[in-house]
Amino acid sequence: MRSFASDTVHKINQTVTVKGWVNSRRDHGGLIFVDLRDHTGVVQLVVQPEQVDAFKAAGELRDEYVLAAAGTVRERSEELKNPHIPTGTIEINIDQLTILNRSQPLPIQIHGEALANEDLRLKYRFLDLRRPKMQHMLKKRAEYYAVMRRYVEQQGFIEIATPILANSSPEGARDFLIPSRVHSGKFYALPQAPQQFKQLLMVGGVPRYYQLAACFRDEDPRADRLYGEFYQLDLEMSFVEDGEEVRSTMEPLIKQLATDFAGKRLMTDTIPRIPYREAMETYGTDKPDLRFGMELVELTEVLKATEFGVFKNAECVKAICVKGASTLSRSQIDSFTDIAKSEGAGGLAYLTYEGGEVKSPIAKFLKPEELSAIKQAMGAADGDIVFFGADKRQVVNKVLGRLRNEFATHFNLKDPNIIALAWIVDFPFYEQDDKTGKLDFGHNPFSMPKGGLAALQAEDKLGIIADQYDMVMNGYEICSGGVRNHNPEVLYEVFSVLGFGRNYVDARFGGMINAFKYGAPPHAGCAFGIDRMFMVLMDEDNIREIVAFPKNGSGVDVMMNSPSVVDDAQLKELHVRSVED
RNA sequence: GGGCUCGUAGUGAAGCUGGCCUAUCACGCCUCCCUGUCACGGAGGAGAUCGCCGGUUCGAAUCCGGUCGGGCCCGCCA
């Protein structure tokens, strides 16, 4: 009967068979130790020369050889116990040892601290996955899925699969296209999200739908964004007209994941709802990390009479107070200045509070009453530095928002044991392009404008609010959702504001809008980015660390060599011309 | 598409203000020794045209330009 490594500790004086990989071999000439590793851990095998065949086989072992070993579990004498491993109190005296398979010398080291380049790890992912940390990740991920499924099913959601071969959706991300063999010149697209299908399920009478849905987007990746494919916990509820119902339905799950599942503390038990504009003004971003304060403080009024040109000529002046920042060296401040410039700032003005006075290259340009008003508004004390942003409002928010984040990292304010959650609500329905001045959808064209048809008639289109909400976890957007627009007339109008006629809408979204004409119930939902949320819960800052087989940053699977060229015959069958043409 | 950054034995690092680099160290690999190790130890050995191409120079891992590849970021991600 086969035993796992970790179980053998409970089987003293029993005969066991263990199977696994050679973690290490210590050959003392007349006595050979083998650390055998399986998914449960490591156990020490002892091979004596008296067991002639086993001893001979043990002599041939190398790292990562695969073996089956049978023998008797013995308690080690006190001085031989190893407190560093869970099975260190026992060892297995081996009678029989079979080499099941051999391994070439490893291209990457899989134990120890020094990790190979990520690209090499991905090429040899099957070896990388043998590392205990990766084994733990895989197991934990399965548990994570189970927790989510259990919760949503308790809430009455039922899982329904939606098509993978779907339709191109021109308004969103770049599609992955699949040429149709049967219909020459036509294409399927892999779904960017099951958005339209899940809304159709609502029309189809499903009260609550969920799916651990694969989503496909051909956009350049980031550290927190996979290339190509990722998973969402996708949900939709019918007869819901208030997004609050969706938010309050899902909150307990996320809290449970943060606490019971990930073993962290919640920053606040009540999850704040922060309007988009407030988030932008207070944190300079719509995905604020709320584990720390350092909020943006408006100083435009305080400094409206200033004669300091940089502030005087700016549309907006704001600042953040960085506690204890006076320890920063000049060159460190310079590097933060570079960051500010990279976000569009002209420079980075600051006031240092030290020894009861203000030190700064700009202090002499400010009147004493201005300096004291700033100090008071910022709540600055000795040891702090106040950093300013003075520019167009949008630029100031962006620069200070970025700096807030960078300073928090620098001063270790991001406590990994805390999860800070927030709902960002009331997104603008439309946004204006900086350069072209053209209006476009801010978020999701399928969400309901607050106030419905009447609101869309408003003169100020930028003031129209979408019933749309995101959940933010420690500075990462982990969920996006909305109350959907289930009214065909309102939906046509939403596009009409941008100059798109009915024909346009019918052509692109005909499947869905047609359905809405046959008694669509009001509905709302959301989708959680499973991979990204898991990354945050597992304390990783690279999303590829928590995926078994991710593509690299160029969208290449370096292990399987995809994408790859295909035969001309295949292309011909799909009515696709080869690249040479 | 753009910006920044990295590329040195199988792996991870050092060297990189040009010459003493005939490129250093650790892990791994090979041979031999070793009966209580646990990342065993000991002796010896192999293994690198310093990503690639070009330039500057008496001389380039080192400086410059280009190129390829990785990473991070911007754009993009309804």
Side-chain angles (χ1 to χ4, degrees):
Chain A
M1 185 67 181
R2 180 187 171 194
S3 293
F4 294 132
S6 63
D7 294 336
T8 55
V9 72
H10 307 298
K11 297 190 176 175
I12 291 172
N13 295 329
Q14 294 180 38
T15 303
V16 296
T17 297
V18 288
K19 300 182 180 186
W21 287 265
V22 174
N23 207 54
S24 71
R25 181 189 65 131
R26 294 176 292 281
D27 185 343
H28 288 242
L31 177 70
I32 298 174
F33 298 102
V34 177
D35 285 349
L36 176 135
R37 184 195 70 243
D38 64 18
H39 64 286
T40 66
V42 169
V43 64
Q44 173 164 284
L45 316 181
V46 186
V47 191
Q48 305 277 358
E50 291 73 28
Q51 298 293 342
V52 178
D53 292 341
F55 192 78
K56 183 165 176 290
E60 290 176 32
L61 294 176
R62 296 293 182 272
D63 279 358
E64 298 305 311
Y65 273 33
V66 186
L67 55 90
T72 310
V73 179
R74 299 290 184 209
E75 182 163 17
R76 300 194 201 180
S77 62
E78 280 310 312
E79 69 278 13
L80 295 180
K81 287 182 177 171
N82 180 354
H84 302 296
I85 59 172
T87 61
T89 54
I90 57 103
E91 60 193 11
I92 307 176
N93 278 312
I94 297 305
D95 306 316
Q96 279 188 315
L97 196 156
T98 310
I99 296 177
L100 300 175
N101 215 340
R102 290 160 199 272
S103 170
Q104 295 184 8
L106 301 176
I108 58 172
Q109 282 173 239
I110 64 174
H111 15 93
E113 290 303 306
L115 279 181
N117 278 330
E118 195 197 12
D119 220 37
L120 263 183
R121 288 177 58 207
L122 291 180
K123 180 169 180 182
Y124 295 98
R125 192 59 149 186
F126 47 88
L127 293 176
D128 194 49
L129 289 175
R130 289 184 196 165
R131 294 167 44 229
K133 184 182 174 191
M134 297 303 274
Q135 288 286 313
H136 176 251
M137 181 276 290
L138 293 174
K139 238 189 289 185
K140 198 75 180 163
R141 195 180 173 107
E143 186 188 331
Y144 174 64
Y145 275 55
V147 170
M148 289 189 293
R149 283 212 154 90
R150 206 178 304 131
Y151 180 82
V152 293
E153 286 183 5
Q154 275 168 1
Q155 297 297 317
F157 291 85
I158 61 169
E159 181 162 22
I160 300 171
T162 53
I164 297 297
L165 292 179
N167 231 351
S168 175
S169 46
E171 303 305 315
R174 208 173 283 120
D175 281 317
F176 284 99
L177 294 176
I178 311 290
S180 163
R181 172 184 59 82
V182 179
H183 304 281
S184 171
K186 293 188 176 177
F187 294 83
Y188 300 97
L190 303 180
Q192 298 176 20
Q195 181 72 32
Q196 295 189 60
F197 290 112
K198 72 173 172 180
Q199 295 194 237
L200 287 163
L201 286 171
M202 298 299 104
V203 185
V206 174
R208 290 187 168 192
Y209 141 92
Y210 88 94
Q211 183 179 194
L212 296 172
C215 305
F216 304 89
R217 295 176 190 176
D218 184 9
E219 295 293 348
D220 289 352
R222 291 285 186 275
D224 66 346
R225 202 165 80 197
L226 290 160
Y227 174 77
E229 62 202 49
F230 64 99
Y231 285 82
Q232 286 182 346
L233 173 60
D234 193 45
L235 304 125
E236 199 72 13
M237 305 158 72
S238 69
F239 296 103
V240 172
E241 294 172 84
D242 182 354
E244 199 51 43
E245 201 173 331
V246 177
R247 296 192 286 273
S248 61
T249 301
M250 295 313 294
E251 276 184 11
L253 171 62
I254 308 308
K255 287 181 177 178
Q256 182 192 346
L257 287 170
T259 55
D260 297 347
F261 174 76
K264 296 169 186 292
R265 276 196 331 276
L266 288 173
M267 183 80 185
T268 55
D269 200 47
T270 306
I271 300 176
R273 272 71 173 158
I274 307 175
Y276 171 84
R277 293 202 190 282
E278 184 188 325
M280 295 306 289
E281 292 300 327
T282 311
Y283 305 102
T285 173
D286 62 356
K287 41 180 184 174
D289 191 335
L290 298 178
R291 283 175 295 177
F292 52 92
M294 217 195 294
E295 295 171 3
L296 281 57
V297 177
E298 180 82 50
L299 295 173
T300 313
E301 268 305 300
V302 171
L303 293 168
K304 69 179 174 195
T306 189
E307 279 158 35
F308 179 37
V310 173
F311 291 171
K312 188 179 179 176
N313 301 324
E315 171 191 311
C316 165
V317 181
K318 295 172 97 168
I320 53 174
C321 179
V322 186
K323 293 285 166 196
S326 66
T327 56
L328 290 172
S329 70
R330 183 60 205 249
S331 71
Q332 285 173 316
I333 292 180
D334 284 347
S335 72
F336 284 110
T337 304
D338 288 342
I339 291 169
K341 285 179 177 171
S342 76
E343 297 291 344
L348 184 58
Y350 58 95
L351 296 174
T352 306
Y353 296 87
E354 220 172 14
E357 46 187 278
V358 187
K359 296 174 186 168
S360 163
I362 65 158
K364 58 176 178 283
F365 300 115
L366 295 164
K367 300 184 199 90
E369 61 267 30
E370 286 171 346
L371 285 171
S372 77
I374 290 169
K375 188 175 180 194
Q376 195 190 349
M378 300 308 300
D382 247 27
D384 300 347
I385 300 186
V386 167
F387 290 89
F388 293 86
D391 208 307
K392 290 204 173 100
R393 179 162 295 276
Q394 208 181 341
V395 175
V396 169
N397 287 340
K398 193 173 163 203
V399 169
L400 290 183
R402 171 78 190 275
L403 286 175
R404 175 179 177 271
N405 206 22
E406 297 287 339
F407 282 124
T409 301
H410 183 90
F411 288 104
N412 255 328
L413 304 180
K414 299 179 176 176
D415 186 338
N417 298 311
I418 291 180
I419 292 287
L421 298 167
W423 290 103
I424 309 300
V425 300
D426 294 346
F427 283 83
F429 204 101
Y430 298 106
E431 277 173 355
Q432 196 166 23
D433 188 292
D434 275 350
K435 297 189 182 79
T436 64
K438 260 184 71 178
L439 227 49
D440 199 358
F441 291 114
H443 233 68
N444 181 331
F446 306 117
S447 63
M448 185 69 98
K450 279 196 169 172
L453 202 55
L456 290 172
Q457 316 299 337
E459 194 62 35
D460 175 22
K461 304 297 184 200
L462 292 172
I464 301 169
I465 300 294
D467 204 337
Q468 168 90 34
Y469 36 88
D470 284 2
M471 187 182 239
V472 177
M473 175 184 276
N474 289 2
Y476 290 94
E477 178 193 322
I478 56 154
C479 174
S480 196
V483 176
R484 318 300 177 186
N485 185 345
H486 65 285
N487 181 325
E489 288 313 308
V490 181
L491 200 48
Y492 282 126
E493 186 56 27
V494 155
F495 281 89
S496 162
V497 168
L498 295 183
F500 296 115
R502 294 197 169 219
N503 291 343
Y504 176 92
V505 181
D506 287 340
R508 262 95 182 159
F509 311 108
M512 194 175 67
I513 204 162
N514 184 48
F516 286 177
K517 294 171 184 169
Y518 297 92
H523 55 284
C526 64
F528 288 85
I530 294 178
D531 305 280
R532 188 180 292 163
M533 177 159 53
F534 189 57
M535 174 187 86
V536 178
L537 294 172
M538 298 292 282
D539 296 321
E540 294 292 341
D541 51 19
N542 189 310
I543 199 164
R544 294 185 294 270
E545 285 297 319
I546 52 91
V547 175
F549 300 112
K551 310 235 181 329
N552 75 7
S554 316
V556 173
D557 181 333
V558 286
M559 182 175 60
M560 301 303 279
N561 251 323
S562 70
S564 57
V565 291
V566 296
D567 291 345
D568 278 350
Q570 253 180 307
L571 293 177
K572 196 175 171 197
E573 195 171 44
L574 294 168
H575 321 287
V576 175
R577 273 182 235 119
S578 64
V579 183
E580 284 74 29
D581 294 342

